[in-house]
Amino acid sequence: MALNGAEVDDFSWEPPTEAETKVLQARRERQDRISRLMGDYLLRGYRMLGETCSECGTILLQDKQRKVYCVACQELDSDVDKDNPALNAQAALSQAREHQLASASEPPSGSRSAPQPPVPRPEHCEGAAAGLKAAQGPAPPAAVPANADALACTQTALLQKLGWASVELSSSNSLETSIQLCSLIRACTEALQSLWRLQH
Amino acid sequence: MAAAGSVKAALQVAEVLESIVSKCVGPGGQQVLCTKSTGEVLLSRDGGRLLQALHVEHPIARLVVECVSSHLKKTGDGAKTFIIMLCHLLRELDAPTDQKKDCLAAGNTQAHGQHWKNCCQWKCISRALVTFQAQILDSFMDQCLSRHFLSIFSSSTKEKILCRSSIELLLDAYFSGRVGKNNHTFISQLMCDYLFKCMACNDGIEDFFEMVDIYFVELNVGVAGFPVSDSRIVAGLVLHRDFSVYCPADGDIRTVTVSGTIPPPFSTSGSEFVLHSEAQFQASQFWIMEKTKTIMKYLQSQNVKLLLSSVKQPDLVIYYAELNGISVVEYLSSEEISLIQRITGLSPDVPPQSYSQHEIFNIALVRFCKPLILKSKRYVHLGLISTCLFIPHCLVLCGPVQGLVEQHENALHGAFKMLRQLFKDHDLSYMAQSGHPNSTSSPLIDKSKESDPLPEVGNNSMRRPCEGTVVKDKDGLKSVQTHLIAHSNWEMPSIELETASPCPTPKMTPRTTYQTDNTMKHLSQDNTRIIDYHEPLMESKLTANSTTENPKIEMSPKNVQVTRNTGKGSILPVSFKSRESYYYSSSLSAGCVLPVGGNFEILFHYYLLNYAKKCQQSEETAVSMILANALLGVPKILYKYKKGSYSFPQIYVRTLYALQTNRPIVSTQTGLESVAGKYQLLSSVLQCLTKILTIDLVINIKRQPQIVYDEDSEDEL
């Protein structure tokens, strides 16, 4: 927007990359969810305060017992921990699967620089996380420090799942289930590959 | 604690409010259940009520709710649309800076400086918005959209006659977005019946609606405990009081209104009443009693049978009234008294103490006066004889609970406000570039609102197409010259179309046929008034009345040649050598309507996009784009749950295609909405937005700052 005249940033503005678009989208969806929750609470008689949360910047609510409540921190994030791949093996698996689907649908694009914007990481949103890694290899999130314990944990979980999937595959009769199990196995192996690559 | 970053905060607030309001917007919206801070539960679809029931302490939220309330007080419509538009505008404004925030997020060291940089940026944006609104927005209404307008009047004759079916469509659409689905047809029918019963004639519609709007509280009675379908219209006026004394009388009853007590008071203000003994006290009391008796006897001799008082009369008066066969109603509100006086043409009160000396001039005739009992509450039912264009009728609104009755009352009141705005001419003024800076005949006008010492050109001043003297370079302009010739692009099947205009007119065929025995006339275009001035007048008017600091207009007086207007509508030849921009003044005629369903928004969006493409200045382009994109938010929400060919993308593409190729625009919904209301809503939203954008800091204070009176203030002039 050329309204501010002399802003240098304007002249260097480029359209957002796909990854950034996905980040923006994720952020917008999160914002929508927050607004919806807040609207529901307001209708229930909560009071909208004039202050914002120090952690996430969302407007605070106060219930009738005068207890202050932040919708984002207390509601959204609690069901988001289970999506964080660093903390939850299932999440890592689903993330890997999503990446796999994403890379199957998108043609591998050219060189994408690895560094992602470090701070506003919407790991909470599965879709965005998958999109971010669309062009990269199936690497775990760059911002998460390569914690050896976490990796070992993930590895165990993956191996477990692999074992379980193979058992299920041998006993399954339905075509659909078999296909899904095969894709799960492929995803597991790729995740394991990337884990090993990271370790070494 | 001070908080910064008003746009982000405002966006959060607006999104929260939008999430609440979008559930109940439009005919497909649902009732929203809200628990108020007092613990009561409110079930409503009325946006204004919902917003006020929410418990918000956030300052920006309160600002927004206040803006909505003051908008509703004036126009009666559009609370939900207001919030939706505001939210989309804020989103548009916030979006481009998202990427910037990404880049800036890494370095926080310059946060403070960046904040103030942001504030300046927002100030520039808000100034751009204000300029756009003041100078350019009206031009879209006048030049672009006016060809699409329909009129609510039917004009089989030269007069403007209200078309009942069009009013029904308008009110149907209004109430279907506001009242519950089971009741809205009934309420809109009730209101239509009421309108056509009360309106004496088609002249002075504006005064009529003004009166009903102001006195609406006195003109309706709410009764809880009955089904809604029991609501009805009663002829005459129902006073919200009971008789203190009731003496039945036949025939026309002579009535007197008083605003003070009949017996004279012991002492008037500013004087002292000194008593020295008991005897004096008794004597004065006796004197008062005698005086009262005389006055009441005099009233009886004048054959006055009804006394309407705005204060409590002492028992003595009641006693004598009963003796003399005069009915008395006390404690009437001043609004009721003034309504009675206005309807019957009574002059303001004479103090009753002077009755025996003078003739009573403010006697009104009343056809009947009797008690009316509505669910164990007694009222006074007066059959007033009207001397003005309002035939008094009262609405008795019933509902199972008080809350629903109040909601219906509010909805009806809002509808009257909306109609009042609809039937008013609204002035439009804007600046446009002329293609011929040296043309010899370019009109320069001022805002016609200003007091005009010169003979005002009548409404049909452009009746004679003024030989190319109106110079504007937008295409819609031909319609101004041939404005009497009606053309529009929403043609109804049974309409008689007067001669076609030069430009091919896109037509619209509605999906369902309207059951009209009356026709809907295409609106004759706005009346561009050309007002000419003598030289000095023009100069001073210009400098005094420019709404924005616009340095572009520079008039050199020697180049101006003005001829006095003969009053008939001939154009003054005015020549300008100096500059390119001119102010135009026009008006949005009363009775302009458009079909519902987001048509206004989509049309405006289309013309804004066109303007943005043609415009050279980057500020105006940016503002038009923001506005154009934000306007689409409303139809998007209206068509959110529709599928197939009724979904928003389909409708959007179809409408745009029709506009571009000058084909008929098909409207999928029956129902009409007032253009004036929509336009005022847009202006209100832009004003609220500029208010928000200019907030730099929010500072919480514990109590109101005290006003300090400075002794030296007179010296500081």
Side-chain angles (χ1 to χ4, degrees), chain A residues 80-142:
Chain A
V80 147
D81 275 343
K82 66 174 176 26
D83 293 336
N84 190 345
L87 302 177
N88 190 340
Q90 277 289 354
L93 197 56
S94 54
Q95 198 178 74
R97 205 181 308 143
E98 274 161 19
H99 146 71
Q100 207 256 316
L101 281 171
S103 64
S105 51
E106 293 168 11
S109 49
S111 56
R112 282 277 172 97
S113 51
Q116 300 291 322
V119 173
R121 299 266 329 160
E123 290 158 342
H124 315 302
C125 191
E126 301 176 4
L132 271 178
K133 283 152 211 72
Q136 294 181 8

Side-chain angles (χ1 to χ4, degrees), chain B residues 23 26 197 227 292 311 359 391 408 470 496 565 574 580 619 677:
Chain B
K23 293 179 193 147
K197 276 195 181 152
T292 312
V311 295
E359 278 283 328
I391 307 172
H408 290 165
V470 179
E496 57 225 27
N565 189 15
V574 172
E580 333 79 51
E619 271 192 17

Side-chain angles (χ1 to χ4, degrees), chain A residues 3 7 43 47-48 57 59, chain B residues 12 35 55 57 117 619:
Chain A
L3 285 182
E7 278 272 332
L43 286 176
R47 189 197 299 210
M48 183 196 270
I59 298 178
Chain B
Q12 266 197 31
T35 310
H55 201 184
E57 267 183 21
K117 221 165 160 189
E619 271 192 17

